[in-house]
Amino acid sequence: MNPAFRVLSARALALALLLSVGASSSLAFQSMDDVRAAATARGLTTADLLAAAKTFTPSGMLDEYVMFSSGGHSGQVFAIGMPSMRLLKTIAVFTPEPWQGWGYGVGEEVMAGGDYGGEPVRWGDTHHPALSETAGDYDGQWLFINDKINARVGVIDLRDFEAKQIVKNPLTVSDHGGTFVTPNTEYVIEGGQYATPWGSAYAPLSEYKESYHGSVTLWKFDRRAGRIDRSKSFAMELPPYWQDLSDAGKGASDGWFFLNSINTEMATGGIESGNPPFEAGVSRNATDYLHIIDWKGAERVFQAGKADMIEGFPVISIKTAVAEGLIYLTPEPRSPHGVDVAPKGDFVVVSGKLDPHVTVYSTAKLKKAVAAKTFSGRDDWGIPILDFDAVVEAQVEVGLGPLHTQFGPEGYAYTSLFLDSAVARWTMGGSYGAGTPEPDWTLVHKTPVQYNVGHIGVAEGDTVSPDGKYLVAFNKWSVDRFLPPGPLLPQNFQLIDIANQGTSMPVIYDMPIGMGEPHYAQICKADKLNPWKVYPEVGWDPLHQRADLMAPKPGMERVTRNDEEGSVEVFMTAVRSHFKPEHVAVKVGDTITWRITNIERAVDATHGFAIPQYNINLSLEPGETATVEFTAHTAGTFPFYCSEFCSALHLEMVGYLLVEPTE
Ligand code: CUK
Ligand code: CUA
């Protein structure tokens, strides 16, 4: 029988039944009158029907975009189709995930890269995904994600949507200004957040100014290897302000990156001792500092050997950075959050959470002030401060609690308003000014969202060529939008139609996120992604993305035992609907190396492989090979089986692991 037909047989029966029901009911809707009657029965308005028409994606129709969302404290990344807002995959990164076998037979090696002080830290607080870029545009090849709580960075290969590497930052404990990539993905930027002594060493808070440090790390990305190359990476020491978000320059600002900071006050808290609490101490001053960093210059300084080794990692000291002209500061409205570079790189937009404006810096003015050395002063570390009025192009009053800005293709910018629970549309000036019917640098419209928006994402809205069309508000609270699943409510992703100019910006879809609190997401045109449908060869090792010479092949299945070593090697294949061999007999205490290959070539013919009590579950995609090693610690009888419903005889895809007791 045709294998493609065989795999369908079980599902096909069930589907056929469902479809026959669907077909007869869809016959009932034959005219717009029926549509109206159905809408009336459910209390839907014309606007609702229009929103449905713009988002409803019938079976088999594919989405135009894929949104890569941070998974928040799930430690993972979500791939979501747009405009349907359907979850396509949770990509396991920092946290074990049994469906993919992540942490249950595969993924351990990757997760171990993120061990912290020798401890296996197995969750993450993911905030900012970054797609790899070529010439400032998403190229659909790689995805990076930070873990704020432990200062780690994950690397995901978009050929198979799987994590391949996690690196732990040796200098800092937490990160927030990452991940962001330079325009050709030369570097993945990871800005630290809460200042600590280097490498999370101990020092009392009374020594904050001397012993605590800020930093930003530039992880060199090796595209060919598909890995961060630690040996070519370096960091820059920064004052112990709390550096926040960052963004890489492009176009007019290529070669630079920008980093916000909060707590330039260097408050150390201690509410219990009568000190101002952090929330007051950190926002005492009217302004904080935007850090302006010449990364191409920093790369030259690093390559010239002028970095110091700290915690085994090269760090350009503030002193060297100042002497080499690599770093400048300029005031920004207090407690800033987002810093976002406009598509042409000519403007840098900063939002102060406690200021109702967005502040727009001009790259040309920044460069002019740097060249003219017109500094209004220096901070305590000697870093030159550029005069605010000399570098600001505009301030646009947008509303309360502005956080993050994204860009559209036609001269509009969009800013999330946390306190207003709204998304503002405003017009850019300069070379963008002709694109919109409204005057430059003005607020055009605010769309309320439900509720408390953090980041927003516009389709390709942080690249050199934004698509616009859709905006997603990543809302922190959902309150009354969904049935409450107990007191912990989902976050709410709201899709907003921004295809029209002016004041038309309706919310057209709500998507509950019941898996953590995502922060940022990037939205990539689906046709830029070119994932494999099956692995390129039978016996493929996805971790190294190459054929594994040791992979079991058909006809070579066997169990070999080395009596002297008490070791057993299993060479197993999986295909619908059997494993071969089906009996694996070992002795208690044996060390077992179990190799298994899914020899299928049919799309979606995934097999699982699960052993009870031994905490093993693999997901083997067509062609994939995996190796699990374990000790047969407990004697007994263990039926292993395929944990993915792969065929009509899936339940029969089983075998016995017999662990014989010794006397
Ligand atoms: S974020 Cu990380 S606290 Cu506004 Cu980029 Cu949510
Ligand atoms: Cu293979 Cu179920």
Side-chain angles (χ1 to χ4, degrees), residues 324-549:
E324 301 279 345
L326 304 177
I327 182 166
Y328 301 88
L329 304 172
T330 193
E332 50 186 0
R334 74 167 62 167
S335 297
H337 194 44
V339 54
D340 297 284
V341 177
K344 296 173 194 167
D346 43 0
F347 298 115
V348 181
V349 180
V350 169
S351 305
K353 297 190 290 280
L354 305 178
D355 181 286
H357 300 88
V358 289
T359 299
V360 183
Y361 297 84
S362 151
T363 303
K365 290 180 181 178
L366 287 170
K367 283 185 173 170
K368 207 171 140 199
V370 166
K373 296 193 172 19
T374 48
F375 307 138
S376 59
R378 288 175 185 266
D379 80 341
D380 291 354
W381 280 263
I383 306 176
I385 300 168
L386 308 176
D387 180 48
F388 182 76
D389 294 323
V391 295
V392 167
E393 181 76 18
Q395 287 195 291
V396 186
E397 187 167 344
V398 288
L400 298 180
L403 295 186
H404 300 285
T405 296
Q406 293 262 300
F407 303 92
E410 63 300 77
Y412 285 130
Y414 301 86
T415 300
S416 54
L417 303 170
F418 181 79
L419 298 175
D420 271 353
S421 279
V423 174
R425 167 184 267 174
W426 49 279
T427 53
M428 306 270 290
S431 58
Y432 305 88
T436 57
E438 300 88 358
D440 296 350
W441 310 117
T442 47
L443 176 69
V444 174
H445 178 70
K446 284 199 254 184
T447 289
V449 293
Q450 290 77 29
Y451 300 91
N452 297 7
V453 58
H455 278 267
I456 49 176
V458 168
E460 312 226 337
D462 60 2
T463 70
V464 294
S465 61
D467 277 21
K469 277 177 101 160
Y470 300 109
L471 180 152
V472 181
F474 309 118
N475 303 330
K476 306 294 184 188
W477 289 29
S478 64
V479 193
D480 53 4
R481 296 292 102 173
F482 309 110
L483 286 174
L488 177 62
L489 303 189
Q491 270 75 38
N492 186 10
F493 277 13
Q494 284 187 307
L495 181 67
I496 298 176
D497 176 5
I498 58 167
N500 297 317
Q501 292 195 321
T503 58
S504 165
M505 250 175 77
V507 171
I508 53 174
Y509 198 82
D510 279 24
M511 177 193 191
I513 298 286
M515 299 161 289
E517 186 211 337
H519 292 258
Y520 185 43
Q522 288 186 329
I523 301 164
C524 182
K525 199 93 200 294
D527 62 16
K528 287 186 179 173
L529 299 164
N530 194 17
W532 290 327
K533 293 204 167 78
V534 299
Y535 280 109
E537 288 179 42
V538 169
W540 195 260
D541 161 16
L543 178 58
H544 300 100
Q545 299 290 38
R546 63 179 180 228
D548 180 352
L549 297 177

Side-chain angles (χ1 to χ4, degrees), residues 69-70 72 125-128 176 454-455 474 476 517-521:
S69 167
S70 87
D125 183 21
T126 60
H127 282 231
H128 305 114
H176 197 229
H455 278 267
F474 309 118
K476 306 294 184 188
E517 186 211 337
H519 292 258
Y520 185 43

Side-chain angles (χ1 to χ4, degrees), residues 69-80 85-91 95 97 124 126 485 488-493 511-518:
S69 167
S70 87
H73 5 46
S74 79
Q76 320 291 45
V77 169
F78 307 139
I80 297 166
M85 306 300 274
R86 297 180 294 202
L87 177 66
L88 302 175
K89 187 179 184 184
T90 293
I91 304 171
T95 306
E97 202 291 300
T126 60
L488 177 62
L489 303 189
Q491 270 75 38
N492 186 10
F493 277 13
M511 177 193 191
I513 298 286
M515 299 161 289
E517 186 211 337

Side-chain angles (χ1 to χ4, degrees), residues 242 265 267 269-271 275-284 334-335 354:
W242 293 348
E265 295 84 350
I271 187 173
N275 297 324
F278 273 118
E279 59 176 327
V282 164
S283 49
R284 203 175 57 235
R334 74 167 62 167
S335 297
L354 305 178

